[in-house]
Amino acid sequence: MTTPGVGAEPWPRRVDPMTDLPARRLLLVHAHPDDESINNGATMARYAAEGARVTLVTCTLGEEGEVIPPRLAHMAPDRDDTLGPHRVGELAEAMKELGVTDHRFLGGPGRFRDSGMMGVEQNERPGAFWSADVDEAAALLVEIIREVRPQVLVTYDPNGGYGHPDHIQAHRVAMRAADLSPDPDFRPDLGEPWEIAKVYWNRVPRGAALEGFARLRRDLAEPGKLPFGRAASITEVPGVVDDHVITTEIDGSGFASAKAAAMRAHATQIEVHEPYFALSNELAQPLLVDECYELVRGRREGGGRESDLFDGIPGTSEGIPGSSEDLPGTSEGLRGTSEENSGTSFEGAQNGTGL
Ligand SMILES: [Zn+2]
């Protein structure tokens, strides 16, 4: 870091992002606005509250989603096709509820379009995320990884949790970017290499899901207790696995209301009645507050379930907020700050071309 003085570059010439980066940095890659709140709302709120840098990258605007409130039905893709920009606003509201300030769209808002459900003609539409080149999309994510230097990445399993093309593609792009980012020969123009220490896939333990559905069915049997008519099937919940697959469980009990509020902010997509919710199919599901993961890259300490995504990562113990001493490469050749890269941030959407 230089100091201001006669003959020096104008001050500050460039903000060193490392000085602004807290010790713990978490990156989440999702397909559509709302996926982050349903899957990781409590996790995001917890780490944001603890002072970690939480970065959300959403790959599409969710233009093909079905609209729940009748008064907003005109936004549907086969009518006004204005759902995407509306969901940008819903996502911003959800992030306020979770206390997350760094949320971006991959390549900027509208770069990739929602591909719709598997097998529909929108899959092949120009600009659809499903038809994007994985390496090209991954390079956009590498630039973000090298800027924010996350130790932990959270994304979907290879099936995207439930087979939606955008979720599968988000998985592919996230895993590819995690491979490319530490490679010094890959696009040095995108910043200094950075290796992500741990990669997790979103998971739901079958035991907790079954318990939640049993409680839901009891509540549904009481006339007038819930605004929902029927329960979904457990097979409609993405990422359900046998309990032994779970490596990590985040206690979200302190963040249940933040998670519910964030889900509620996605009002075109989700109807919330705690501790349950329904998507546009109007089938109720349990709203799970403890969020579970499968560690697929990186070391796990001990045999039991982890209770912290940063477990075992040097320099990230609790109580070291903002420490940069033990972070390598803090001065040379770093990419610009998020302000400089606002084309890929949510703020870009607000100042942009009416998306
Ligand atoms: Zn989705």
Side-chain angles (χ1 to χ4, degrees), residues 31-32 34-35 156 162 167:
H32 312 111
D34 82 356
D35 293 318
Y156 312 108
Y162 73 114
H167 287 236

Side-chain angles (χ1 to χ4, degrees), residues 54-130:
V54 179
T55 300
L56 169 67
V57 175
T58 308
C59 297
T60 77
L61 305 189
E63 295 94 331
E64 299 291 322
E66 288 178 37
V67 180
I68 295 176
R71 68 189 167 81
L72 299 178
H74 63 92
M75 293 180 170
D78 57 349
R79 293 178 62 186
D80 300 350
D81 196 16
T82 51
L83 184 56
H86 182 80
R87 293 185 72 179
V88 171
E90 289 185 340
L91 181 58
E93 286 306 310
M95 292 305 96
K96 276 186 205 153
E97 299 292 352
L98 300 180
V100 170
T101 53
D102 185 11
H103 44 106
R104 315 166 185 216
F105 289 96
L106 187 66
R111 169 70 186 267
F112 299 108
R113 185 173 167 113
D114 188 332
S115 313
M117 300 302 282
M118 190 62 93
V120 301
E121 64 180 23
Q122 287 92 324
N123 294 176
E124 309 307 326
R125 178 183 175 142
F129 190 44
W130 182 239

Side-chain angles (χ1 to χ4, degrees), residues 6-351:
V6 178
E9 296 277 353
W11 175 263
R13 180 170 163 271
R14 170 174 252 182
V15 176
D16 181 345
M18 289 311 294
T19 58
D20 297 330
L21 290 179
R24 301 172 139 209
R25 300 177 301 275
L26 167 63
L27 171 66
L28 303 102
V29 177
H30 275 292
H32 312 111
D34 82 356
D35 293 318
E36 78 298 324
S37 297
I38 297 170
N39 286 281
N40 315 109
T43 303
M44 293 170 76
R46 172 186 151 177
Y47 284 108
E50 289 178 0
R53 168 83 170 246
V54 179
T55 300
L56 169 67
V57 175
T58 308
C59 297
T60 77
L61 305 189
E63 295 94 331
E64 299 291 322
E66 288 178 37
V67 180
I68 295 176
R71 68 189 167 81
L72 299 178
H74 63 92
M75 293 180 170
D78 57 349
R79 293 178 62 186
D80 300 350
D81 196 16
T82 51
L83 184 56
H86 182 80
R87 293 185 72 179
V88 171
E90 289 185 340
L91 181 58
E93 286 306 310
M95 292 305 96
K96 276 186 205 153
E97 299 292 352
L98 300 180
V100 170
T101 53
D102 185 11
H103 44 106
R104 315 166 185 216
F105 289 96
L106 187 66
R111 169 70 186 267
F112 299 108
R113 185 173 167 113
D114 188 332
S115 313
M117 300 302 282
M118 190 62 93
V120 301
E121 64 180 23
Q122 287 92 324
N123 294 176
E124 309 307 326
R125 178 183 175 142
F129 190 44
W130 182 239
S131 58
D133 181 89
V134 170
D135 280 3
E136 223 169 88
L140 299 167
L141 189 57
V142 166
E143 183 168 17
I144 297 171
I145 291 171
R146 289 178 175 177
E147 177 200 334
V148 299
R149 305 180 154 221
Q151 296 100 343
V152 175
L153 166 67
V154 169
T155 190
Y156 312 108
D157 68 27
N159 188 40
Y162 73 114
H164 190 295
D166 292 328
H167 287 236
I168 295 172
Q169 188 80 323
H171 160 87
R172 291 176 180 167
V173 168
M175 299 304 283
R176 183 78 180 127
D179 284 341
L180 292 171
S181 179
D183 180 353
D185 295 328
F186 178 75
R187 296 284 308 268
D189 59 306
L190 298 181
E192 295 223 330
W194 178 258
E195 179 147 30
I196 295 170
K198 293 171 96 176
V199 177
Y200 290 95
W201 293 343
N202 292 306
R203 292 301 195 189
V204 172
R206 195 176 312 281
L210 286 170
E211 224 170 82
F213 274 104
R215 195 182 59 224
L216 169 61
R217 277 191 295 272
R218 282 196 301 274
D219 284 346
L220 280 172
E222 286 187 42
K225 183 163 184 178
L226 297 180
F228 308 116
R230 288 194 298 136
S233 146
I234 192 169
T235 57
E236 290 166 89
V237 177
V240 174
V241 288
D242 291 341
D243 289 19
H244 68 84
V245 175
I246 305 295
T247 58
T248 312
E249 177 171 1
I250 300 299
D251 175 2
S253 51
F255 300 94
S257 56
K259 175 169 182 167
M263 288 173 64
R264 207 170 266 124
H266 293 287
T268 60
Q269 306 299 307
I270 313 177
E271 191 183 348
V272 179
H273 188 91
E274 287 173 80
Y276 307 109
F277 72 98
L279 302 173
S280 61
N281 60 12
E282 296 178 1
L283 300 175
Q285 315 182 23
L287 195 168
L288 300 173
V289 168
D290 295 332
E291 293 168 344
C292 290
Y293 301 91
E294 179 184 357
L295 178 68
V296 294
R297 280 192 199 171
R299 268 207 327 276
R300 179 173 162 199
E301 307 283 308
R305 278 188 191 176
E306 300 173 321
S307 58
D308 178 1
L309 299 172
F310 292 88
D311 255 10
I313 302 175
T316 62
S317 325
E318 282 174 76
I320 321 176
S323 167
S324 61
E325 287 95 81
D326 42 25
L327 296 168
T330 58
S331 57
E332 294 291 313
L334 288 165
R335 301 293 301 167
T337 63
S338 55
E339 286 76 24
E340 286 171 330
N341 292 332
S342 62
T344 57
S345 71
F346 169 69
E347 286 72 26
Q350 299 307 286
N351 305 326

